[in-house]
């Protein structure tokens, strides 16, 4: 299934619309970058891969993993060279997220959250550091969400240390669960807040340090909420589609945060309709920074119709010394869908002057 490439239309349409307005066109021009690694394709055809999360190995960054969702069969993990590490046939996940330091049975563990659309439940896994394998720790084999599930994000409060998972439904409703260890060594969820958005939502990201929750309304734009459970249930539309950027097209899909320091960085959105990635300032009022796209290289095809994304500013070594950006590729040349890995350095250096890197 080929995805229609809006860039071909844009190349024709933009010069006409911006004659005499070169600086505006230049500001909106998507910077081209290329992937240096692509993952092993998912085993299912059609629309299958969706979202990704990066797990950073605590002592050897080269042993870090990409956790990807396969909407038709479960989770997959990949090594940084793109090779498959493990498959987990755990149901019908859609989005995935990860946080470090959850206190479970007396030790801090990294947890991965995904949802199962077959059972409308949240599924929580621990990443075992030695084997680099996922071990399920969901209470009752899955935390009942009580509605159809679609997107999600984890949130670890810098203020209270509490862990939350916000899960969204196509109806526009989002439910926030406090994640808590049980006496049995599992993780349960307690509903603490409900948010309602105007239409279908999916992509989400939480800013642990700044206490912000971002939810993508697929045809509306990015909404910002306070992430604490006692924050107001009213959000602010900070990046409306159609106004924030002319090439930012529905569906708005994945959201991710690149951190340059405790308060600065970028909020990145997958603009699925234009096969581009839009950067906004992480700090309010979240000014538009620019866009980039992942083009074909000699070895690896570019991305089209991206669903989920993730990014880290951690130094993973080599070309990933300023971090790593991961994007789902909706149209992987010659195979089923997969994920493309781009050095953050390449994205930063595609801007003039280069974007500041993490400190
Ligand atoms: Ca898709
Ligand atoms: Ca979607
Ligand atoms: Ca998606
Ligand atoms: Ca592609």
């Amino acid at each position: 299934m080929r995805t229609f490439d809006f860039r071909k239309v844009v190349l024709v349409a933009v010069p006409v619309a911006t004659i005499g307005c070169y600086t505006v066109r230049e500001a909106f021009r998507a910077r081209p970058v290329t992937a240096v690694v692509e993952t092993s394709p998912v085993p299912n055809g059609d629309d299958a891969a969706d979202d990704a999360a990066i797990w950073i190995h605590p002592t050897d960054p080269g042993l870090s993993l990409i956790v990807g969702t396969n909407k038709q069969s479960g989770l997959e993990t990949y090594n940084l060279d793109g090779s498959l590490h493990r498959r987990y046939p755990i149901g019908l996940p859609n989005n995935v997220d990860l946080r470090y330091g959850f206190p479970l049975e007396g030790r801090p563990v990294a947890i991965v959250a995904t949802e199962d659309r077959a059972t409308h439940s949240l599924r929580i896994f621990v990443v075992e550091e030695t084997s680099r394998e996922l071990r399920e720790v969901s209470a009752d084999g899955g935390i009942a969400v009580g509605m159809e599930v679609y997107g999600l994000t984890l949130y670890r409060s810098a203020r209270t240390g509490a862990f939350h998972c916000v899960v969204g439904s196509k109806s526009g409703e989002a439910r926030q669960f406090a994640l808590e260890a049980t006496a049995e060594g599992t993780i349960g969820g307690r509903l603490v807040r409900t948010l309602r958005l105007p239409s279908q939502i999916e992509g989400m990201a939480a800013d642990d340090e700044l206490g912000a929750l971002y939810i993508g309304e697929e045809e509306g734009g990015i909404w910002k909420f306070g992430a604490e459970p006692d924050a107001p249930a009213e959000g602010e539309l900070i990046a409306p589609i159609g106004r924030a950027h002319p090439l930012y097209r529905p569906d708005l899909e994945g959201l991710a945060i690149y951190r340059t320091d405790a308060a600065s960085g970028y909020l990145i959105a997958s603009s699925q309709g234009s096969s581009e990635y839009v950067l906004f300032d992480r700090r309010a009022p979240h000014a538009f920074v620019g866009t980039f796209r992942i083009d074909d290289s000699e070895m690896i095809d570019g991305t089209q119709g991206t669903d989920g994304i993730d990014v880290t500013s951690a130094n993973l070594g080599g070309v990933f010394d300023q971090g790593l950006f991961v994007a789902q590729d909706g149209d992987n040349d010659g195979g089923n869908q997969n994920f493309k890995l781009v050095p953050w350095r390449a994205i930063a250096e595609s801007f003039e002057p280069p974007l500041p890197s993490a400190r």
Side-chain angles (χ1 to χ4, degrees):
M1 188 181 70
R2 308 293 295 187
T3 308
F4 182 67
D5 188 351
F6 279 92
R7 292 201 307 265
K8 289 173 184 142
V9 175
V10 167
L11 286 171
V12 175
V14 167
V16 176
T18 56
I19 288 170
C21 202
Y22 176 79
T23 52
V24 171
R25 190 180 76 188
E26 200 52 18
F28 289 140
R29 180 180 63 90
R31 278 79 176 168
V33 300
T34 55
V36 297
V37 171
E38 63 182 329
T39 66
S40 173
V42 294
N44 298 86
D46 297 326
D47 197 22
D50 196 275
D51 195 21
I54 303 163
W55 174 71
I56 301 164
H57 189 278
T59 55
D60 184 350
L63 293 176
S64 299
L65 292 170
I66 311 299
V67 185
T69 61
N70 175 349
K71 291 188 270 202
Q72 299 184 37
S73 64
L75 294 176
E76 309 203 338
T77 56
Y78 312 97
N79 299 298
L80 287 186
D81 65 1
S83 59
L84 180 72
H85 183 247
R86 292 282 186 275
R87 286 208 167 103
Y88 301 89
I90 54 99
L92 302 178
N94 185 38
N95 286 181
V96 63
D97 202 14
L98 185 149
R99 285 294 186 279
Y100 303 92
F102 188 97
L104 191 66
E105 298 191 295
R107 65 184 178 116
V109 295
I111 56 168
V112 168
T114 190
E115 68 280 87
D116 181 5
R117 296 171 75 187
T119 56
H120 312 296
S121 63
L122 277 180
R123 306 282 294 271
I124 313 287
F125 301 81
V126 165
V127 187
E128 298 290 5
E129 289 176 7
T130 308
S131 62
R132 300 189 297 149
E133 288 179 346
L134 303 180
R135 176 173 62 89
E136 181 151 23
V137 291
S138 320
D140 309 317
I143 299 164
V145 176
M147 64 177 184
E148 180 217 14
V149 293
Y150 196 46
L152 64 72
T153 185
L154 286 169
Y155 170 63
R156 181 192 184 183
S157 170
R159 197 183 81 191
T160 66
F163 285 76
H164 289 92
C165 186
V166 182
V167 57
S169 174
K170 285 187 174 179
S171 69
E173 181 169 333
R175 294 186 175 180
Q176 182 164 356
F177 291 83
L179 299 182
E180 290 155 350
T182 68
E184 293 77 41
T186 61
I187 297 177
R190 180 170 51 84
L191 181 66
V192 292
R193 186 166 67 145
T194 298
L195 305 170
R196 288 188 176 78
L197 290 96
S199 68
Q200 184 164 318
I201 55 175
E202 184 180 353
M204 296 188 195
D207 190 323
D208 294 359
E209 289 164 302
L210 301 184
L213 168 67
Y214 299 97
I215 300 181
E217 186 191 357
E218 291 188 342
E219 298 192 351
I222 304 171
W223 290 83
K224 181 183 185 182
F225 298 85
E228 293 295 326
D230 58 357
E234 289 74 42
E236 178 193 359
L237 184 59
I238 57 157
I241 286 177
R243 276 191 283 151
H245 185 280
L247 306 184
Y248 166 45
R249 305 257 174 79
D251 289 353
L252 167 62
E253 281 280 337
L255 294 174
I257 296 166
Y258 182 88
R259 175 190 191 282
T260 51
D261 63 28
S264 329
Y266 306 98
L267 173 63
I268 309 169
S270 168
S271 169
Q272 189 174 46
S274 57
S275 295
E276 293 179 359
Y277 310 95
V278 186
L279 273 66
F280 299 94
D281 194 327
R282 183 179 164 206
R283 294 164 297 192
H286 309 289
F288 167 76
V289 175
T291 68
F292 67 95
R293 59 171 201 256
I294 304 174
D295 280 355
D296 293 346
S297 72
E298 283 183 21
M299 301 295 293
I300 299 173
D301 61 302
T303 53
Q304 294 79 30
T306 293
D307 279 298
I309 57 175
D310 197 19
V311 71
T312 178
S313 56
N315 178 356
L316 300 184
V319 292
F320 301 129
D321 62 342
Q322 291 183 10
L324 162 66
F325 177 78
V326 180
Q328 183 257 12
D329 183 10
D331 186 8
N332 176 35
D333 274 5
N336 292 337
Q337 294 180 337
N338 67 355
F339 300 91
K340 303 309 204 241
L341 279 60
V342 178
W344 182 264
R345 170 179 287 284
I347 295 165
E349 291 177 353
S350 73
F351 285 77
E352 271 185 44
L355 300 176
S357 57
R359 289 183 280 276

